[in-house]
Structure formats: C-alpha cells, structure tokens
Amino acid sequence: MRKKGYTLLLFVAMLLLVAAGCGKDQTGSSSNSGDGSSSDETFVLQAGHSLPDDHPYHLGFLEMADNIEERTDGRVKIEVFPNSEIGAERELTEGMTLGTVDFVVSSTAPVTNFVPELEVLDVPFVFEDRETAVEILEGEIGEDLFAKLRDNGIIGLSWAENGYRHITNGVRPIEKPADLKGLKIRTQENEIHIAAFEALGAQPTPMAWTEALTGLQQGVVDAQENPAIVADQFSLYDSKQKYMSLTGHVYSVAIYMMSEKTYDKLPEDLREIVLEEGAKAGPKQREMIIEMEQESLKKLEENGVEIISDVDIAPFQEAVEPIYSKIEHQDLLNQILDAQL
Ligand code: PAF
C-alpha cells in the first residue's frame, strides 16, 4: 500500500515536470525544443527601436508583426516597443547578440560597435544618392554585410532607412563648414561620425538618442544631426533648435534585424515565414520615409525652424575627405565607391 502511494506520487511529479517543460511561453523571449522541427508551440517575441509609434520604423514593424501573426495562425506574436522603451539602439543591438531582444530596427551607426565592417555605410557622402545606396545594399555588397552581421549573432532581415541626416542648431544658420566652428554637436556613438564633425571644426559629443533631448535642452550641446522626420517627431524646436541646414551629409542606413538565438529557437516552418516577412519590412519602410520627409520639413518650418536648403555641399565634402583614408575596411569602401563610377 505504502509502495503504491509512492509510485503514484512519483508518477504525478513526473507529469508535472513534463508539463512544465512543454509549457507554452508567453513571456517575451521564447523557449522551444530548438530542433527546428514544427510544433504547435506559440512564441511571444519582442521588437524594439528608438523612435515614436508613428515613425516608419514602427509602422514597418507593425505590418511585419501582423503578417507574421496571420501567416502563422497566431503561433508567432511580436510586441513592438517604440521610443527606446526596451533600450536605446546600442543596447538593443547588444540584446540581440545575447538573445534578450528578438528584433530591432536601428540606424547602422551604433550597430557598427558590434559589426565593424558597417563603418563604410556611415562615411559622409559615400553614396551618390538614395537610389544608388539601395541598389548597392540590395546587391552583393549588402549580402556580404549581412553575412558579417550573422558572424556576430544577428540576422539582417532587410535594409531600411532613417533618411538623410541634416544639421540643426540653436546658434546660427550653418551654410559652410566654418559656421560649425566650436559648436558642440551631439553625434551618434560612432567613430566615423565623431571624426567627421571634428574634421568640420565642431566639437562632437557622442551620446545615445535617449540622452540627446536633455542634452539640447540643458545646453550641454548646441546642435544635433538627424533626418527631418526625427527633428519633427521630437519637436526639436522646443529643444532650442532654430536652424536646420540640409547638408544630407549621411544617408542614414537602417536595418531590420533579428537575434540569431531567437531564430534558432523557432521551428523550420515559422523561420521561413519570419524571414519572408522581415525581408518586406525594409522596402515598405523606405517608401513611407520618402512620403513623410517633405511633410516634416514643412511642419518644422511652420514651427519656426529656419530651413537652409541651398547649402553648397562641396566644401563639406572637401573637409571630410581625409576620413576616407582612415577607414579600416578600405576594400569594402572601394567596392562601394567603384560601384558608383
Ligand atoms: O541620432 C540617432 O541616434 C538616430 O538617428 C535615431 C534618432 C535614434 C534614429 O535611428
């Protein structure tokens, strides 16, 4: 009788253990058998980025999440967190390498701290124009860069964009490099951006975007550089930014990315759907940016920002030229330049 009781207890305990092991995960980063085979398990995954919920970064993610949820019959749900709610771009990228963040869309500048080859994309004036940049990114060079991401535990889903970066400040209109002399400018955490603004005579102060607004409001920095949509959506005119010079010094490439650790946890059939929908997010997002750019410039102007649109770019290009020879990945840089000859 006693033995029977123990056997029953043991059986119940084993049942509980098995149930816990197979439990469906609803907690964010998922769990799975990891053998790539199909199962009925559901996955609740997290996507993060640094911009508001009406920015194309977010809208692109929402569309991707909806399509994935529909095509997987609800087996993959993606929660999208805007405004650096689960981390700024550098932290989010690190999170992907560790497997604590599942998806991220970020401009390439901070990702370069993890994948050094990406430095070539943030070299000022490296792309003739947006169309040429997209052609290069969606070709062999872009594929090779995605392979470098993969070496670092990140899967590149698609190339997106942040837009052309322009300089805003609260001191004077910037029309030539000399106007930047001594200006304290917030830059992204990226060596090339820092070197570029040093070459232009400014005083670059790298910081995450999460600190930039306070930095501008408190006068820690006088200037910043970002696309018009960012300046508009963060109402930078309320942070002492009176002038925007359309320097377009960097075509700010962005990437929709996924943690390889997350990918490895998904069954084969779900992986395929996620990759397919992830590949669509970038092109769709780029279309939205182009549509919104002019409207943002108009809104900035309506809010008192003086837009300096007839900037002569040549002296800016000349001032940053010495940076080209300092790029570590010269072969890659030359490939990009040669592709535009
Ligand atoms: O300046 C930055 O840090 C980036 O351009 C931003 C605003 C986070 C968007 O990628």
Side-chain angles (χ1 to χ4, degrees), residues 50-51 57 89 107 162 165 186 188 209 225-227 230:
S50 287
L51 296 177
Y57 275 7
E89 290 184 332
S107 53
N162 184 18
R165 301 185 83 86
R186 175 269 170 180
Q188 290 193 275
W209 184 243
E225 41 84 60
N226 248 305
V230 175

Side-chain angles (χ1 to χ4, degrees), residues 235-286:
S235 310
L236 290 191
Y237 37 84
D238 290 338
S239 299
K240 303 184 184 168
Q241 301 303 284
K242 293 192 215 146
Y243 308 101
M244 175 174 253
S245 300
L246 303 188
T247 46
H249 49 281
V250 168
Y251 168 70
S252 187
V253 177
I255 321 177
Y256 279 94
M257 296 170 280
M258 176 181 192
S259 164
E260 192 175 29
K261 285 195 164 47
T262 305
Y263 178 84
D264 288 345
K265 287 178 196 164
L266 295 178
E268 197 66 54
D269 56 333
L270 300 186
R271 284 179 188 170
E272 215 170 285
I273 295 173
V274 169
L275 291 187
E276 279 172 18
E277 293 304 326
K280 293 181 199 162
K284 190 81 228 266
Q285 186 269 358
R286 288 199 306 262

Side-chain angles (χ1 to χ4, degrees), residues 73-338:
D73 296 322
R75 285 164 65 206
V76 178
K77 294 189 194 340
I78 302 174
E79 297 169 344
V80 189
F81 295 88
N83 284 319
S84 310
E85 278 171 18
I86 58 168
E89 290 184 332
R90 193 175 169 149
E91 294 155 341
L92 287 170
T93 306
E94 186 170 27
M96 270 188 305
T97 65
L98 301 171
T100 53
V101 179
D102 303 305
F103 297 93
V104 173
V105 57
S106 169
S107 53
T108 47
V111 186
T112 304
N113 293 297
F114 302 88
V115 185
E117 289 81 359
L118 290 177
E119 67 170 350
V120 292
L121 303 181
D122 278 270
V123 173
F125 307 109
V126 74
F127 295 115
E128 232 163 69
D129 52 38
R130 169 181 264 134
E131 292 71 28
T132 316
V134 172
E135 211 173 292
I136 290 173
L137 293 168
E138 294 200 328
E140 215 174 297
I141 295 175
E143 266 172 37
D144 289 349
L145 286 170
F146 273 2
K148 300 293 175 200
L149 283 175
R150 191 79 187 236
D151 291 345
N152 289 279
I154 299 170
I155 297 177
L157 296 172
S158 50
W159 295 102
E161 73 162 66
N162 184 18
Y164 282 104
R165 301 185 83 86
H166 305 302
I167 303 168
T168 70
N169 85 103
V171 181
R172 53 184 167 258
I174 308 293
E175 285 162 350
K176 51 189 183 310
D179 298 328
L180 279 165
K181 197 166 169 45
L183 268 197
K184 285 177 280 166
I185 184 164
R186 175 269 170 180
T187 68
Q188 290 193 275
E189 298 164 288
N190 177 289
E191 294 302 325
I192 310 295
H193 287 208
I194 297 168
F197 281 98
E198 273 167 359
L200 287 163
Q203 288 178 29
T205 308
M207 57 178 89
W209 184 243
T210 40
E211 295 160 38
L213 282 189
T214 327
L216 291 169
Q217 281 155 14
Q218 296 181 347
V220 176
V221 283
D222 316 296
Q224 68 84 48
E225 41 84 60
N226 248 305
I229 302 176
V230 175
D232 164 31
Q233 293 195 329
F234 284 88
S235 310
L236 290 191
Y237 37 84
D238 290 338
S239 299
K240 303 184 184 168
Q241 301 303 284
K242 293 192 215 146
Y243 308 101
M244 175 174 253
S245 300
L246 303 188
T247 46
H249 49 281
V250 168
Y251 168 70
S252 187
V253 177
I255 321 177
Y256 279 94
M257 296 170 280
M258 176 181 192
S259 164
E260 192 175 29
K261 285 195 164 47
T262 305
Y263 178 84
D264 288 345
K265 287 178 196 164
L266 295 178
E268 197 66 54
D269 56 333
L270 300 186
R271 284 179 188 170
E272 215 170 285
I273 295 173
V274 169
L275 291 187
E276 279 172 18
E277 293 304 326
K280 293 181 199 162
K284 190 81 228 266
Q285 186 269 358
R286 288 199 306 262
E287 274 173 29
M288 292 188 246
I289 289 264
I290 294 168
E291 276 165 26
M292 288 169 75
E293 211 166 37
Q294 290 307 316
E295 187 58 27
S296 282
L297 278 170
K298 209 167 116 208
K299 282 206 243 155
L300 288 167
E301 216 163 13
E302 282 164 8
N303 282 284
V305 178
E306 185 183 327
I307 310 288
I308 299 103
S309 49
D310 54 350
V311 185
D312 178 10
I313 297 305
F316 287 86
Q317 287 175 316
E318 215 171 287
V320 297
E321 225 209 283
I323 292 175
Y324 280 59
S325 60
K326 294 194 187 128
I327 299 302
E328 202 188 316
H329 301 90
Q330 281 293 317
D331 285 356
L332 199 46
L333 177 64
N334 286 330
Q335 274 181 50
I336 292 182
L337 297 174
D338 291 350

